[in-house]
Amino acid sequence: MQQADIDRLRQIPVPAQAHWIAGRPVTGQTEPLAVISPIDGSELTTIADGSAGEVEIAVAAARTWFEVGSWSRAAPADRKKCLLRLADLIEQHALELAVLGVRNNGTEINMAYKAEPLSAAQTFRYYAEAIDKVYGEIAPTPPGVLGLVHHEPLGVVGVIVPWNFPLMIGAWKVAPALAAGNSVVVKPSEFASLSLLKLAELAAAAGLPDGALNVVTGTGRVVGEALALHMDVDCIAFTGSGGVGRRLMEASARSNLKRVHLELGGKSPNIVFADAPDLDRAASVAASGIFRNSGQVCVAGSRLLVEASIYDRFMDRLTTATAKLRVGDPLDLKSDVGAVCGEDQLAKNLRFVDGAIRDGARLVTGGRQIMQDTGGYYMAPTIFDEVTPGMQLAQEEVFGPVLAVTRFRDEDEAIRLANATDYGLAAAVWTSNLSRAHRMIRAVRAGVVHVNTYGGTDITVPLGGFKQSGFGRDKSLHALDKYSDLKTAWIQL
Ligand code: NAD
């Protein structure tokens, strides 16, 4: 990745965007939505502001093509070939996709390049390679009958995703859903739709049949709700906030009892024991684990729990590591941290800062907007310590660059604090004691517990939450189960 290529790509005007339905762009029927780049607050382009009618057209296209069977009943090996071509195309367009995505949501390019197109390509390749290795079953029935268990696609899958990593998270759902033979209608976030629209175009170029992948842009209130309430959508795969997750379950109950998979927020504890193998590394990983992408990461280590005996030493290292992080233009390869996704998100972050001060937490660093002269939305990495479990900052997800630090005396207290929120998405434990590491893995209620690292994952392992961080798992072979049904054939011989 060269700076000169990024600088060239960032200059390319982005034309007004249409929906993508049945293999072609479909112009929206109403006034479009402006897309504001968080880099400098300028209008980047517009997206179609979808209506319930346009959702209707997309779902009908998805259903029609599902029934036609050119994708749903294609041999798994043929689906594999097509999805592998798509993975190659994503890789060939990786920088273009990454720059487009960064102009849209402000993630620093040196994170976005790997986390978005390259990870999406890997995801499509993984499920492409997996799908022709899935077998049905022969049941251990008595003699005289034969029980067969088939895997069948569900039909039409609605995918609703947030703005922080649209391509990566979109691929985690679209790839296994398509591999399993479903048709898909994607509703991207209105704050980050561009790279998913481009993905649909690449899928058509890869030979995906028309109607197998559709993208309807617009607001959650209109497009998202219409998809969630639709009687002909068989499943909603969602990543986003808990509030919207609840609405989706209600919509399912009020419509056709479609299955709903929810990947929601987190307030993840990063727990540093005095016997951590390398305090310098633990401190720098703790800083990047909350501040990369301006904290707009579902698994961000937003609560740091530090053993009392090393507290002061560790805080020194943490503030030093934080001061080294360079917040800047997200399309500059030298920036460690880019922009906050939008004006509202920044205002929300700053309200959390005010609330933490009111609650009596101590502001160690940051706590303010920076780089106002750019016209964009940037926030200084922010650390509060003396955060107690009852404070808002210890309980609610900020989804911004704000770290809450609390000290603990022993392992039991660390476990109590770690589990003292409604969330259970991710956690980390830093210790040289193998037995303690395993005790903590079992005791902390979270979908992933890192040991002596934070973050760092790949497609081979499941991701998802305990408690109110949701249910269902993205990634790994387990995700295929979300997008297929089991059908029994009972044959009298
Ligand atoms: P959000 O819940 O506001 O929006 C997510 C998506 O839902 C968007 O496409 C939005 O338009 C749509 N939506 C909004 N209202 C809707 C409605 N009434 N019906 C249907 N759809 C609706 O979340 P966000 O602000 O885009 O993203 C941030 C949230 O996502 C955070 O809570 C974060 O933790 C979570 N997240 C979770 C994971 C994970 O894997 N668990 C990953 C990334 C982000």
Side-chain angles (χ1 to χ4, degrees):
M1 188 172 32
Q2 302 294 326
Q3 189 65 54
D5 295 328
I6 296 169
D7 292 343
R8 180 178 50 77
L9 286 166
R10 77 184 299 172
Q11 303 300 335
I12 297 175
V14 183
Q17 303 286 299
H19 305 297
W20 186 272
I21 299 175
R24 57 194 58 79
V26 173
T27 306
Q29 295 302 303
T30 53
E31 190 64 20
L33 291 172
V35 175
I36 304 300
S37 175
I39 298 178
D40 57 7
S42 65
E43 184 170 322
L44 180 58
T45 184
T46 60
I47 54 169
D49 187 7
S51 63
E54 285 156 341
V55 170
E56 193 60 49
I57 294 168
V59 173
R63 176 61 65 189
T64 302
W65 281 88
F66 183 78
E67 298 299 344
V68 165
S70 48
W71 184 252
S72 57
R73 289 195 295 277
D78 291 336
R79 293 206 291 266
K80 165 181 170 168
K81 276 189 216 144
C82 177
L83 295 177
L84 287 177
R85 280 196 299 272
L86 174 55
D88 290 344
L89 283 174
I90 295 170
E91 261 172 12
Q92 284 159 25
H93 290 79
L95 193 58
E96 180 193 340
L97 281 162
V99 171
L100 185 67
V102 171
R103 292 168 81 188
N104 203 174
N105 76 352
T107 304
E108 54 277 7
I109 185 82
N110 56 38
M111 181 181 217
Y113 183 62
K114 286 196 203 118
E116 286 275 272
L118 295 190
S119 129
Q122 186 197 24
T123 299
F124 276 98
R125 198 161 279 135
Y126 179 84
Y127 289 106
E129 290 289 1
I131 200 62
D132 64 349
K133 290 143 195 103
V134 176
Y135 290 78
E137 294 162 8
I138 299 178
T141 53
V145 286
L146 180 60
L148 303 179
V149 183
H150 298 275
H151 295 272
E152 294 210 345
L154 301 175
V156 177
V157 172
V159 166
I160 303 179
V161 287
W163 43 261
N164 58 337
F165 294 103
L167 210 47
M168 173 176 78
I169 295 171
W172 288 346
K173 300 172 193 305
V174 173
L178 284 178
N182 299 281
S183 293
V184 177
V185 179
V186 180
K187 188 268 181 248
S189 167
E190 52 274 47
F191 305 112
S193 298
L194 304 183
S195 53
L196 282 166
L197 286 164
K198 180 75 189 168
L199 176 78
E201 201 184 307
L202 294 178
L208 190 76
D210 294 347
L213 178 61
N214 309 274
V215 180
V216 182
T217 59
T219 63
R221 200 174 34 80
V222 176
V223 177
E225 291 254 8
L227 207 50
L229 285 167
H230 203 291
M231 295 299 286
D232 206 22
V233 171
D234 299 287
C235 164
I236 292 282
F238 173 74
T239 294
S241 60
V244 175
R246 281 171 208 276
R247 291 183 71 102
L248 295 174
M249 292 191 73
E250 279 174 28
S252 167
R254 279 165 49 210
S255 56
N256 60 344
L257 291 177
K258 58 179 67 63
R259 60 189 68 186
V260 176
H261 305 294
L262 302 180
E263 301 289 344
L264 308 175
K267 192 79 204 179
S268 301
N270 184 10
I271 308 162
V272 184
F273 285 96
D275 62 2
D278 178 348
L279 284 189
D280 285 322
R281 183 161 173 274
S284 79
V285 173
S288 55
I290 174 65
F291 297 129
R292 295 301 303 277
N293 198 15
S294 301
Q296 301 165 138
V297 179
C298 57
V299 294
S302 53
R303 287 186 299 142
L304 179 65
L305 309 180
V306 184
E307 189 160 0
S309 60
I310 53 158
Y311 191 84
D312 293 338
R313 274 189 292 150
F314 192 79
M315 289 304 284
D316 285 346
R317 286 168 164 84
L318 177 71
T319 44
T320 305
T322 302
K324 283 191 191 142
L325 292 174
R326 213 157 137 161
V327 183
D329 176 354
L331 285 170
D332 183 337
L333 280 169
K334 292 194 289 300
S335 299
D336 299 307
V337 178
V340 172
C341 180
E343 196 171 8
D344 290 351
Q345 191 62 32
L346 177 64
K348 181 176 158 207
N349 294 348
L350 295 173
R351 281 198 299 278
F352 269 98
V353 169
D354 292 343
I357 292 170
R358 256 199 322 275
D359 282 352
R362 190 176 74 92
L363 181 61
V364 177
T365 185
R368 61 200 163 79
Q369 182 181 4
I370 54 173
M371 296 170 58
Q372 286 92 329
D373 56 322
T374 60
Y377 314 114
Y378 299 84
M379 183 167 168
T382 299
I383 301 175
F384 279 96
D385 77 352
E386 292 168 25
V387 175
T388 55
M391 289 181 187
Q392 180 197 35
L393 197 61
Q395 293 298 326
E396 293 180 26
E397 181 185 49
V398 181
F399 216 57
V402 183
L403 178 63
V405 190
T406 304
R407 75 182 80 199
F408 66 85
R409 282 182 309 278
D410 56 23
E411 199 175 304
D412 286 344
E413 189 179 19
I415 293 168
R416 256 198 322 278
L417 288 169
N419 288 334
T421 75
D422 290 335
Y423 292 110
L425 191 56
V429 182
W430 297 78
T431 178
S432 305
N433 179 331
L434 189 61
S435 303
R436 167 180 280 160
H438 283 285
R439 282 195 301 273
M440 293 298 291
I441 289 169
R442 301 305 288 262
V444 176
R445 299 200 63 211
V448 55
V449 181
H450 306 90
V451 177
N452 295 334
T453 187
Y454 201 98
T457 179
D458 71 16
I459 189 66
T460 62
V461 288
L463 174 80
F466 280 38
K467 303 197 283 183
Q468 292 184 34
S469 289
F471 47 82
R473 294 288 183 268
D474 279 332
K475 309 200 301 165
S476 82
L477 293 178
H478 294 287
L480 282 170
D481 295 339
K482 299 194 320 195
Y483 305 109
S484 61
D485 253 335
L486 296 178
K487 178 184 277 176
T488 297
W490 186 261
I491 303 165
Q492 190 67 52
L493 300 177

